[in-house]
Amino acid sequence: MIDVSVIITSYNKDKYISRAIRSCLKQSFNNFEIIVVDDASTDNSKTIIEGLGSKIVPIFLKENVGVAEASNVGICSALGTYIIRLDADDYFSEYALLFLSEILDKNHDIGFVYGDIIRVDEEENVLERINLDTPEKIFKHGAGIMFRKSYLEKLGLYNKEFKNAEDHELLSRYIKNFNGYHLRLPLYRYSKHDTNITNNEEERKQWEQKIK
């Protein structure tokens, strides 16, 4: 049985996708799989992903469906007890999977667990630490959270109608039903650059207004 399934969704992230995958392969934890869902990229992503061979489980979508639906494709293919999403332009600390999965293993009353974030620039220089110590901060950073797959399935996974803020929408449903735990360690590296989808704050706010 596989403990953790890492879901990486990617659209035209050939500049970053290899780093994201490498950060998974360097984990101090062994019992996991890496599912890479390429959302019909038009750049060199497919060649890079195929070059990693048996180290990952690649899924190539024929048309672009967005992060929410692409994530659902990955989750439905996952064999792990726990699910964690990694954005293609971000990367993990080497202890991320070990520490987060251990919390869920030892605490059956906890439905999801997350650490803090280190924001880095294009050269991976540290810009700041983001402590996810409020619901508002968690809602803005949905990747890097480890969920119990069975709980995600009960909730119906991501809402594919959301083309932005899909992480916020899912978490708003999840926290109403299951307890979370904040592990105060910086386990996720968030790469800030000009092509981040979250850079479009106005569009994100419009989608957040649709959340019930």
Side-chain angles (χ1 to χ4, degrees), residues 89-195:
D89 45 1
D90 298 337
Y91 56 105
F92 286 138
S93 154
E94 65 180 304
Y95 299 106
L97 300 187
L98 174 64
F99 290 170
L100 295 177
S101 63
E102 188 73 5
I103 295 293
L104 293 180
D105 282 347
K106 298 298 190 292
N107 300 276
H108 299 291
D109 59 318
I110 294 175
F112 66 103
V113 59
Y114 53 96
D116 291 327
I117 292 172
I118 296 291
R119 189 165 71 93
V120 299
D121 63 15
E122 290 274 12
E123 285 72 43
E124 300 183 18
N125 297 308
V126 174
L127 299 176
E128 65 174 327
R129 173 171 172 165
I130 303 173
N131 297 317
L132 300 186
D133 50 6
T134 68
E136 291 74 23
K137 291 180 181 179
I138 303 169
F139 288 150
K140 290 184 179 299
H141 296 281
I145 299 174
M146 188 172 287
F147 300 95
R148 296 186 188 274
K149 183 186 178 186
S150 60
Y151 291 2
L152 285 175
E153 292 171 333
K154 288 179 182 177
L155 292 177
L157 308 184
Y158 288 90
N159 185 339
K160 65 181 182 180
E161 301 302 320
F162 275 69
K163 302 307 178 184
N164 200 324
E166 75 291 329
D167 46 1
H168 185 165
E169 194 280 331
L170 174 67
L171 278 168
S172 68
R173 288 184 283 129
Y174 205 100
I175 63 176
K176 293 176 183 176
N177 295 274
F178 308 110
N179 295 323
Y181 183 81
H182 176 205
L183 181 61
R184 298 186 63 183
L185 291 172
L187 300 175
Y188 193 90
R189 303 296 184 264
Y190 170 58
S191 179
K192 188 70 172 177
H193 52 83
D194 292 339
T195 59

Side-chain angles (χ1 to χ4, degrees), residues 21 44-56 58 60:
I21 295 172
N44 197 42
S45 294
K46 185 175 182 180
T47 300
I48 295 171
I49 293 168
E50 288 179 331
L52 291 164
S54 61
K55 297 178 181 178
I56 62 173
F60 297 102

